[in-house]
C-alpha cells in the first residue's frame, strides 16, 4: 500500500492508478487522475484492505475504491 498511515475522513486524495484488488471494476478507470475527499475511511474496522468511500471533485459522485489506488494529497494540492 502506498499510503503513509490510515486515511481519515476529510483527507484529499487522488485516484492515481488502477488497483490490483479484485474489487476494482473496469468502470473505475475513468476516475484515474481525479481528486476527491475521503468521506468514509472505514476506521471502525481499521482494515487496510477495506474499500474507502471518496467523493470526487467536480462530479458530485461518491464511490468506494481500494486503498492501493489512492494517494493522499498534501494541503493545497
Amino acid at each position: 500500500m502506498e499510503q503513509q498511515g490510515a486515511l481519515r475522513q476529510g483527507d484529499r486524495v487522488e485516484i492515481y492508478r488502477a488497483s490490483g484488488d479484485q474489487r476494482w471494476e473496469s468502470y473505475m478507470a475513468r476516475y484515474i487522475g481525479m481528486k476527491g475527499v475521503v468521506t468514509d475511511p472505514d476506521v471502525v474496522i481499521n482494515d487496510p484492505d477495506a474499500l474507502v468511500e471518496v467523493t470526487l471533485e467536480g462530479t458530485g459522485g461518491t464511490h468506494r475504491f481500494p486503498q492501493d489506488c489512492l494517494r493522499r494529497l498534501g494541503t493545497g494540492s
Side-chain angles (χ1 to χ4, degrees), residues 46-71:
N46 197 24
D47 180 358
D49 293 326
L51 298 177
V52 173
E53 188 174 276
V54 175
T55 298
L56 298 172
E57 295 174 351
T59 68
T62 300
H63 304 274
R64 298 186 76 75
F65 293 99
Q67 295 180 44
D68 66 346
C69 69
L70 301 175
R71 174 170 45 207

Side-chain angles (χ1 to χ4, degrees), residues 27-55:
Y27 78 88
M28 294 175 172
R30 78 178 86 156
Y31 301 120
I32 294 174
M34 296 186 77
K35 297 174 182 170
V37 177
V38 174
T39 52
D40 181 2
D42 285 337
V43 293
V44 174
I45 58 175
N46 197 24
D47 180 358
D49 293 326
L51 298 177
V52 173
E53 188 174 276
V54 175
T55 298

Side-chain angles (χ1 to χ4, degrees), residues 11-24:
D11 281 349
R12 290 194 70 235
V13 294
E14 176 183 21
I15 295 85
Y16 75 101
R17 66 175 186 176
S19 172
D21 190 289
Q22 65 182 5
R23 295 169 293 182
W24 177 265

